């Protein structure tokens, strides 16, 4: 086998406070994150939302030391994976490609080209697939592949999601068991799986398999844990006014408090690294809320980071993927037939002349409304809480 590479995909996070604004702009510029019918509105709206959110987001990053640890941890995972692969007889270069901050996916791809990688495994560091995470990165890679004939020479394969991998489930179960065992009545403690939310429409209209994969993953972790504890699944980190997957984590914590629950072990289920949603949102915000509603024993299961059982699971995934028939980006980016494609050039209602005229008119009205809102500070986006 020629030169082997593994491309680890993740979202990225601001390294320091000055990065927060441009990071948020990159994130909200992604049509897989904010799904708008008019692509030209994406950048002005991204700029607008990012500028309104920057201060609040910076306050949160300040509370975790002034920046995201995501880059450092992902690079450490890469180093550990390289070593583990080598110990299993598979030499490989590891590349980290972030979607919205450094090292960007484009930078990783440039290095892969430079290193003349011949076989590449594309491994998102999200155990479950969502249009908004792995899907967005796959879409970007698909575009880069189309634009570059050099990349088309690489024999690559994609691992779309991997929440069923036994080593991953084992590592999760071990970490949960460690937390439960710290509490006196360990078999009665409520296990609270907190998954990152996505807007409901992603699942119900666009066919995102995320909710189903999260539910199945939660069941499999509980099965591997093999303990009698009651458990619950809820969704955190809602942004904006639309409905996201429910129940929301804050509501579920409140409800458990009302029922008299005193002991809670929170399991972040969509992430494999510590970052703002674990260190700030769960450890600070949800802990405070739990305390207020009488849940006095509130423990959080640490993220997997470089847990050796987890690193071995990643290595096994890579080795299995190298042996299996390749799975292509086009297949991975369109997990289900129902998934609606963005940018919306393939929407039926954008294809007819009269619809185009109406799209243009509505877009112009939207743009004028946005400018007025920008100047006056009043308008629909403020009313619905997006700005
Ligand atoms: C607005 C829509 C968002 C969707 C949909 C979304 C899905 C989603 N995100 C992650 C994982 C991460 N998100 C991170 C940061 C982040 N995400 C959003 C918004 C959406 N995420 C924002 C606005 C931010 C910035 C932080 C903030 O201001 O709240 C990160 C990076 C965290 C860090 O340490 O910097 C990760 C990782 C998942 C898994 C997911 C859907 C499944
Ligand atoms: Fe997010
Ligand atoms: Fe978030």
């Amino acid at each position: 086998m020629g030169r082997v590479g593994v491309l680890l995909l993740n979202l990225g996070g601001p390294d320091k406070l000055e990065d927060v604004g441009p990071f948020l702009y990159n994130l909200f510029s992604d049509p897989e994150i904010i799904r708008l019918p008019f692509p030209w509105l994406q950048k002005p709206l991204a700029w607008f939302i990012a500028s309104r959110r920057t201060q609040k987001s910076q306050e949160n990053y300040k509370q975790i030391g002034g920046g995201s640890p995501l880059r450092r941890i992902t690079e450490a995972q890469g180093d550990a994976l390289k070593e583990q692969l080598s110990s299993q007889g598979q030499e490989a270069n590891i590349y980290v490609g972030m979607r919205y901050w450094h090292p960007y996916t484009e930078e990783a791809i440039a290095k892969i080209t430079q290193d003349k990688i011949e076989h590449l495994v594309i491994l998102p560091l999200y155990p479950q697939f969502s249009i908004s995470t792995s899907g967005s990165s796959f879409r970007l890679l698909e575009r880069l592949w189309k634009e570059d004939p050099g990349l088309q020479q690489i024999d690559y394969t994609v691992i779309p999601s991997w929440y069923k991998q036994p080593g991953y489930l084992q590592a999760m179960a071990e970490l949960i068991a460690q937390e439960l065992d710290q509490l006196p009545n360990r078999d009665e403690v409520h296990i609270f799986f907190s998954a990152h939310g996505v807007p409901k429409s992603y699942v119900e209209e666009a066919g995102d398999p995320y909710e189903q994969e999260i539910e199945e993953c939660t069941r499999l972790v509980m099965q591997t844990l093999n303990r009698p504890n009651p458990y619950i699944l809820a969704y955190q980190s809602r942004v904006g006014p639309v409905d996201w997957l429910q129940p929301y984590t804050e509501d579920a914590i409140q409800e458990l408090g009302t029922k008299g629950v005193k002991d809670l072990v929170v399991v972040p289920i969509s992430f494999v690294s510590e970052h703002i949603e674990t260190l700030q949102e769960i450890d600070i915000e949800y802990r405070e809320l739990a305390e207020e509603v009488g849940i006095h024993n509130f423990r959080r299961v640490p993220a997997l980071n470089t847990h050796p059982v987890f690193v071995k699971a990643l290595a096994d995934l890579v080795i299995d993927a190298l042996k299996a028939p390749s799975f292509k980006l086009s297949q991975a980016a369109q997990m289900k037939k129902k998934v609606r494609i963005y940018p919306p050039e393939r929407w039926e209602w954008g294809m007819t002349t009269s619809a185009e005229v109406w799209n243009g008119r509505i877009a112009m009205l939207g743009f004028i409304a946005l400018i007025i809102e920008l100047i006056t500070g009043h308008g629909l986006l403020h009313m619905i809480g997006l700005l």
Side-chain angles (χ1 to χ4, degrees):
M1 190 177 272
R3 284 169 195 266
V4 174
V6 179
L7 173 59
L8 298 177
L9 301 173
N10 212 330
L11 190 130
D15 298 313
K16 47 190 189 307
L17 292 181
E18 303 88 273
D19 300 339
V20 172
F23 161 75
L24 289 176
Y25 172 76
N26 290 345
L27 185 133
F28 290 120
S29 296
D30 182 356
E32 312 291 348
I33 288 281
I34 297 195
R35 300 161 71 82
L36 293 174
F38 313 113
W40 65 268
L41 200 58
Q42 194 83 36
K43 299 269 175 190
L45 194 64
W47 174 79
F48 202 33
I49 300 173
S51 28
R52 301 299 297 218
R53 197 181 165 88
T54 297
Q55 206 185 344
K56 186 182 172 289
S57 193
Q58 277 177 333
E59 291 302 319
N60 293 342
Y61 280 104
K62 258 187 215 163
Q63 293 180 35
I64 63 163
S68 172
L70 201 57
R71 178 178 189 161
R72 177 178 50 76
I73 297 171
T74 310
E75 287 174 346
Q77 286 168 329
D79 293 344
L81 175 60
K82 185 176 174 63
E83 208 171 300
Q84 179 62 38
L85 280 170
S86 178
S87 78
Q88 292 183 230
Q90 179 63 65
E91 299 306 326
N93 286 1
I94 313 291
Y95 303 88
V96 171
M98 300 292 195
R99 183 67 183 87
Y100 307 118
W101 202 245
H102 299 279
Y104 287 116
T105 309
E106 292 86 340
E107 296 171 41
I109 290 295
K111 282 192 194 151
I112 287 167
T113 309
Q114 205 180 319
D115 292 347
K116 300 192 169 41
I117 292 297
E118 291 162 82
H119 303 275
L120 182 69
V121 177
I122 299 174
L123 173 56
L125 287 176
Y126 309 101
Q128 312 84 11
F129 177 92
S130 167
I131 297 170
S132 57
T133 53
S134 308
S136 168
S137 286
F138 295 160
R139 193 62 68 86
L140 169 63
L141 287 172
E142 219 184 345
R143 201 167 65 233
L144 297 176
W145 242 259
K146 275 195 189 126
E147 285 166 4
D148 185 347
L151 288 176
Q152 292 162 19
Q153 304 308 311
I154 300 176
D155 167 34
Y156 77 87
T157 187
V158 178
I159 303 175
S161 72
W162 41 269
Y163 61 93
K164 295 180 191 170
Q165 211 286 337
Y168 159 73
L169 295 169
Q170 189 55 42
M172 288 296 288
E174 276 182 27
L175 288 175
I176 298 170
Q178 268 171 31
E179 292 308 311
L180 292 174
D181 293 345
Q182 306 291 318
L183 294 163
N185 47 345
R186 61 180 198 183
D187 287 348
E188 279 99 64
V189 175
H190 278 68
I191 301 176
F192 190 115
F193 290 93
S194 189
H196 198 295
V198 297
K200 230 181 203 169
S201 62
Y202 285 31
V203 174
E204 291 178 359
E205 290 163 33
D208 196 336
Y210 179 72
E211 184 182 30
Q212 175 260 314
E213 294 198 3
I214 284 284
E215 286 174 358
E216 193 180 359
C217 177
T218 306
R219 273 196 303 275
L220 291 171
V221 171
M222 281 308 293
Q223 202 176 305
T224 313
L225 178 66
N226 196 22
R227 299 263 185 123
N229 302 69
Y231 76 97
I232 177 171
L233 166 65
Y235 294 89
Q236 68 177 82
S237 319
R238 177 176 173 224
V239 178
V242 297
D243 276 353
W244 281 38
L245 295 179
Q246 286 169 29
Y248 300 132
T249 293
E250 55 270 37
D251 296 344
I253 290 177
Q254 240 150 357
E255 205 180 313
L256 290 175
T258 315
K259 282 186 186 155
V261 169
K262 299 280 173 245
D263 309 307
L264 207 61
V265 164
V266 179
V267 186
I269 189 75
S270 329
F271 317 117
V272 297
S273 326
E274 298 295 354
H275 65 292
I276 197 160
E277 327 274 15
T278 56
L279 300 170
Q280 196 278 332
E281 197 167 14
I282 300 181
D283 287 358
I284 300 178
E285 287 184 30
Y286 296 143
R287 184 185 297 277
E288 260 172 38
L289 174 65
E291 190 62 39
E292 276 167 30
V293 298
I295 302 173
H296 298 304
N297 285 320
F298 179 96
R299 302 188 72 87
R300 201 257 301 168
V301 171
L304 292 161
N305 292 349
T306 51
H307 189 293
V309 179
F310 170 57
V311 173
K312 166 83 169 54
L314 292 180
D316 289 345
L317 277 167
V318 169
I319 288 170
D320 291 349
L322 284 168
K323 288 185 204 142
S326 58
F327 194 79
K328 293 297 160 204
L329 283 163
S330 53
Q331 295 166 274
Q334 291 168 38
M335 290 288 289
K336 288 198 171 173
K337 240 182 155 186
K338 252 175 83 191
V339 172
R340 206 180 263 171
I341 310 293
Y342 280 74
E345 67 266 1
R346 294 186 221 173
W347 282 16
E348 272 169 23
W349 54 281
M351 302 295 266
T352 66
T353 315
S354 69
E356 286 296 356
V357 169
W358 275 104
N359 282 350
R361 285 176 188 165
I362 296 164
M364 188 49 72
L365 282 175
F367 187 61
I368 292 166
L370 182 68
I371 296 294
I372 293 171
E373 188 158 351
L374 194 66
I375 295 164
T376 62
H378 297 284
L380 184 67
L381 295 171
H382 282 79
M383 236 163 64
I384 58 178
L386 199 57
L387 296 175

